[in-house]
Amino acid sequence: MKPSQKFLQVLISSELRTQGMRLLEHLIRKHLIFGGPVFSGPARFLWKNEIVEHDYCWILTFTREDLRDELIREAESHSVEAICMISFTPFDGSPAFQALLEEAFAGRDAAMPRPSRATRTPSPR
């Protein structure tokens, strides 16, 4: 059976675990991500041409391919980092995991508010 939706595995950066958890919660409530762990550990980065070292966190999650741009906008607007680092990898999972993701996002369209008649763009006549 061919999957009906394409999904992406996502990594989203945060400097502190509490920041990562708040961002994770916000993006789940917006139905932009599936959810997942916030990993943390020692890290090194080349930042402004210097090597910096400190503990760092990453949210590991999944999203639908069509939600990619909205996810970036929402994560960047709620992140407290100077640069919210977000990366996407094509998802190739088991049929059971694919079905779980499809089920999780199936309710997204029903959960999102629909525009009222007053805010809909009129069709050209």
Side-chain angles (χ1 to χ4, degrees):
M1 173 168 51
K2 186 174 181 177
S4 60
Q5 295 284 336
K6 289 189 178 182
F7 291 93
L8 303 169
Q9 185 175 27
V10 185
L11 285 174
I12 307 170
S13 66
S14 67
E15 290 182 4
L16 302 172
R17 184 179 180 276
T18 54
Q19 293 168 352
M21 292 301 289
R22 279 194 299 265
L23 185 56
L24 178 70
E25 179 72 20
H26 176 75
L27 296 172
I28 290 172
R29 288 187 185 280
K30 292 275 189 173
H31 294 256
L32 291 171
I33 62 171
F34 175 68
V38 176
F39 292 111
S40 64
R44 288 189 182 142
F45 294 95
L46 186 58
W47 182 255
K48 298 184 179 181
N49 213 26
E50 290 188 31
I51 297 174
V52 295
E53 183 175 344
H54 60 86
D55 282 349
Y56 209 75
C57 301
W58 292 95
I59 298 167
L60 173 62
T61 190
F62 301 87
T63 192
R64 274 190 344 213
E65 187 176 52
D66 65 314
L67 299 175
R68 181 187 181 278
D69 293 341
E70 186 179 351
L71 171 57
I72 291 170
R73 283 191 302 275
E74 198 66 36
E76 288 178 342
S77 72
H78 281 79
S79 174
V80 297
E81 291 189 280
I83 298 173
C84 181
M85 298 181 284
I86 306 171
S87 65
F88 299 90
T89 305
F91 172 74
D92 182 22
S94 68
F97 194 7
Q98 177 77 26
L100 177 64
L101 291 175
E102 287 181 10
E103 181 182 333
F105 284 95
R108 180 182 198 280
D109 297 326
M112 301 310 291
R114 295 183 183 238
S116 67
R117 290 181 187 248
T119 60
R120 288 188 184 153
T121 306
S123 59
R125 293 183 190 207

